Every structure is written in structure tokens, then in C-alpha cells.
Amino acid sequence: MVAPRKEKENNSRISSFEKGKGACREILDRVLLQNRTRILEFNSKPSAPTEEIFPEIFFGSPSDPRGPLMNKSFIPKSAERILDALNLEDDFYLNLLDWGKRNILAVALGNSRLLGSRWEAHCPWVVQFLCSLWDVTSNRPLRTLESIHHSRVGSLAWKGGILTTSGMDGSIVNNDVRIRSHIVQKYRGHHMEVCGLKWSGSGNKLANGGNDNLVHVWDSSMAASTTTSNQSQWLHQFEEHTGAVKALAWCPFQRNFLATGGGESDRCVRFWNMDIGNYLSLVDTSSPVCGLIWSKNERELLSSHGLPHNNLVLWRYPSLEKLVELNGHFSQVLSMSQIPNGCRVASAAGDETLRL
């Protein structure tokens, strides 16, 4: 007879405790939350996340566990999406497209720029021979870098807080965007426009190509300080190309390995070993090479071209077997950039279209 009384007594205590919890919750709702269902509320709807700009393309960070959206063995031969890129400069020597680490695609269009699906005033690559830095989250200009070059700025390359710029004047400049006197170092080697810039994955080497058909590779420590008159000296100089060199790509799976592409008078992709500075092999593409991108997931190289093909070509390395040709553009494919996870590429052409 004792056990039932204890069970009844325990049930009574639990009931009282639950009533106390309910009363406490009512007080909190009334005094602290003012009968709202959320502790934090927005006065206005927050802006849509970047992923919603191209929902079928963006899906998180490069390390997203969901992986690519398609079977990597399937390579479509037509664009998934075609966007208008009105006023895109049809100029081989300019670099007008980039896909950032936060899945924001930027393209320079005349005196405007397109970030994702939003238009912004002012061109990010050259405005009266200066560079403008923008916060892409707030869409506000951060600062303007002036007096860098004596003519147009055609190429940019980031290395941490250092923005490397090159221009038609043949100079290459390291700008530390974190300090007031931003010009900190210069590389001297070209006597014509520098149209290609690429830092290696480790950040210790800078490759650049120019309209003088030369390729230079610099050790990052070889730049000349702006406080001295010493001439900087390149680590390697390659003279094998017979056309302007805009396309440069450091290999992600083989350290100190560089691919370069030549323009109208050359039409070849060449491969170099930076450890000993020697030429390894080449492939004749039969059309000017405007851009090069190594795959992040496969041992493959993607090239973009001008006349007569105006296409993209995927090559297997090291056999240099042509895997697929991607057609659709009606003018030279000026620039390419790949999504951070490496499964998609954007291409911009003189036909004023952007293809994904």
C-alpha cells in the first residue's frame, strides 16, 4: 500500500514543477520577449544570399560535402546559361572576368561592372589608369590606387593583401592595399604591354606574359623596392613564344609547373618546369590562346581561343589528348574563370555574352 502513495506523491510534485515552468515561461514571454516568438527580429527582410543569384550553380564553399552538382565524367557541350555582357571590350590584352572565393562572379563591362546579378557604377580594372577597390558585400568603394601606371591597367593578381598590377607601360607593381603609400615593389623586364599575371599557389613565384612575346617568372623576393634604384632580375625568361602571351596557369597538382599560351602568331600552349627553368612540351591549338585553366579535380587543362574556332578545348595531361570542344561563342573567348570548387567555368567573349 506504501508504493502507490509514493507514486501519487511523485506525480503531484511533477505536476507542480510543470506548472511552475509554465508560469516562468509566461513571465519571460511578457517581460523579456514581449510575447514575440523570436529573440532576434529584422526590421526589414535581409538581402538574399549569394547562392540565390545562380541557385543551380552556387551551393556553398569549395569544401561543400554535397560535392559537384553533376557527374564529373559528363561534360555538356552547350552552355547551361547565357547572360548578356553588353559593352564588354573585345580586346585580347584585357582581363575582364573573375570568380571569387565567395562565389561572386565579376565582369567588367565598359564603364560598369557586374557582380553576380547586380550592376555597379565604375569599372574595377581601369578608370583613367587607376584601380578602384570595392567591398562586394556592401557594394561600396573602399579606396582608389592612383599613380601606379602611365597607361591602362590590363591585369590584376592578388596575393594576400598585395594587389599586383600591370599595364600597357610594361611595368608590374606590387600594391599593399593595407597602407597609405601602397606602391611597395616593382618588377622590371618587359618593354611592351604586360597582359598576363599569375601568382603561384604558394605565393612565392609570379609569372607574367607580355606583348613582346616574353614570359618572365619572378621569385617574390626579387622585386625592387621603391626606395632603391636597383633593377629587379627575373628567375626565368622564356622566349619560345612567337606571339603575345596572355594565358598563364600554374598547375595545382604538380609543384612549380607552368602552362603558357601564345596569341595570333603563335597559337601554342607550352609547358615549363620552374625547378630547372626548362621547356617540357607543347600542343599546337591552331588558334590564338586567350586563357588557360587547370582543373582542380582532374589532370586536365582547359584553353580558350580566338579565330577561327572561338571555342574552349579540354585537354588531358600529360597525353595532351583533346577530350572535348565547347562551342557557342561567335567571337574570341577573351577570359575564363572557374567556380571555387572547380566543377564549372564561366567564359566571356567579344560577342558580348557570358556563358556558364
Side-chain angles (χ1 to χ4, degrees):
M1 298 299 294
V2 176
R5 283 200 300 267
K6 281 189 176 181
E7 181 176 356
K8 184 176 181 179
E9 181 179 352
N10 288 339
N11 289 339
S12 176
R13 290 177 180 178
I14 292 173
S15 177
S16 299
F17 178 72
E18 292 296 334
K19 290 180 180 179
K21 284 177 61 180
C24 183
R25 186 180 296 111
E26 291 179 2
I27 295 173
L28 287 173
D29 288 343
R30 184 176 66 255
V31 177
L32 297 180
L33 305 182
Q34 299 178 355
N35 293 319
R36 295 178 298 182
T37 59
R38 297 177 179 175
I39 295 178
L40 298 179
E41 289 186 347
F42 293 98
N43 292 327
S44 59
K45 184 180 178 179
S47 58
T50 302
E51 288 80 356
E52 294 182 3
I53 296 175
F54 301 122
E56 64 269 56
I57 295 175
F58 299 112
F59 52 83
S61 67
S63 59
D64 194 314
R66 287 175 286 179
L69 296 184
M70 64 173 66
N71 188 329
K72 65 181 181 180
S73 64
F74 172 71
I75 303 174
K77 294 186 178 182
S78 60
E80 293 181 346
R81 179 168 295 189
I82 303 174
L83 304 176
D84 288 332
L86 300 179
N87 300 319
L88 183 79
E89 287 286 336
D90 189 5
D91 190 327
F92 172 86
Y93 300 98
L94 296 178
N95 297 272
L96 308 176
L97 179 69
D98 196 21
W99 209 326
K101 293 181 179 179
R102 295 191 177 184
N103 284 344
I104 297 180
L105 183 64
V107 57
L109 305 174
N111 292 321
S112 302
R113 67 174 183 167
L114 178 63
L115 288 174
S117 62
R118 301 184 299 275
W119 289 95
E120 300 297 335
H122 302 305
C123 175
W125 50 275
V126 52
V127 181
Q128 297 177 343
F129 315 141
L130 52 81
C131 293
S132 299
L133 300 182
W134 293 72
D135 185 326
V136 298
T137 302
S138 63
N139 298 324
R140 295 179 179 178
L142 297 177
R143 67 177 299 186
T144 298
L145 308 180
E146 300 181 3
S147 304
I148 306 174
H149 298 278
H150 302 298
S151 57
R152 71 178 184 182
V153 181
S155 298
L156 306 171
W158 284 99
K159 187 185 76 165
I162 300 295
L163 175 62
T164 304
T165 63
S166 68
M168 188 180 286
D169 56 10
S171 65
I172 302 171
V173 180
N174 282 345
N175 302 272
D176 191 332
V177 301
R178 299 162 296 187
I179 61 179
R180 183 178 180 84
S181 300
H182 53 86
I183 301 177
V184 292
Q185 293 172 317
K186 294 184 177 182
Y187 301 89
R188 303 177 179 94
H190 290 275
H191 60 274
M192 298 181 71
E193 181 169 14
V194 179
C195 47
L197 283 177
K198 280 291 189 301
W199 282 101
S200 63
S202 62
N204 63 347
K205 289 183 176 64
L206 174 67
N208 58 268
N211 196 26
D212 51 11
N213 306 343
L214 296 176
V215 175
H216 286 139
V217 178
W218 312 79
D219 188 288
S220 60
S221 63
M222 291 182 172
S225 169
T226 56
T227 61
T228 69
S229 59
N230 296 332
Q231 288 288 323
S232 51
Q233 180 61 46
W234 52 79
L235 183 64
H236 301 296
Q237 176 179 278
F238 302 124
E239 304 176 0
E240 282 77 358
H241 282 291
T242 58
V245 182
K246 173 189 177 183
L248 304 160
W250 290 96
C251 182
F253 56 81
Q254 192 164 336
R255 183 177 175 270
N256 284 342
F257 191 65
L258 178 70
T260 61
E264 174 64 32
S265 302
D266 185 85
R267 303 186 174 199
C268 292
V269 177
R270 298 176 183 268
F271 302 89
W272 314 87
N273 185 327
M274 293 297 105
D275 287 328
I276 53 180
N278 70 326
Y279 160 75
L280 297 174
S281 59
L282 70 80
V283 56
D284 188 342
T285 68
S286 73
S287 57
V289 184
C290 302
L292 292 171
I293 293 178
W294 286 101
S295 170
K296 296 181 179 180
N297 305 311
E298 304 290 336
R299 290 180 177 265
E300 298 168 350
L301 179 72
L302 185 68
S303 58
S304 66
H305 301 276
L307 288 170
H309 303 302
N310 300 323
N311 63 355
L312 285 73
V313 180
L314 186 64
W315 310 85
R316 189 186 304 280
Y317 189 82
S319 68
L320 298 180
E321 171 194 358
K322 185 184 293 187
L323 297 177
V324 67
E325 295 186 23
L326 307 177
N327 300 296
H329 282 294
F330 301 104
S331 184
Q332 59 179 339
V333 185
L334 300 163
S335 302
M336 297 189 300
S337 189
Q338 66 178 319
I339 194 171
N341 64 19
C343 72
R344 280 178 173 81
V345 167
S347 60
D351 57 14
E352 297 186 327
T353 64
L354 184 69
R355 294 172 185 257
L356 305 175

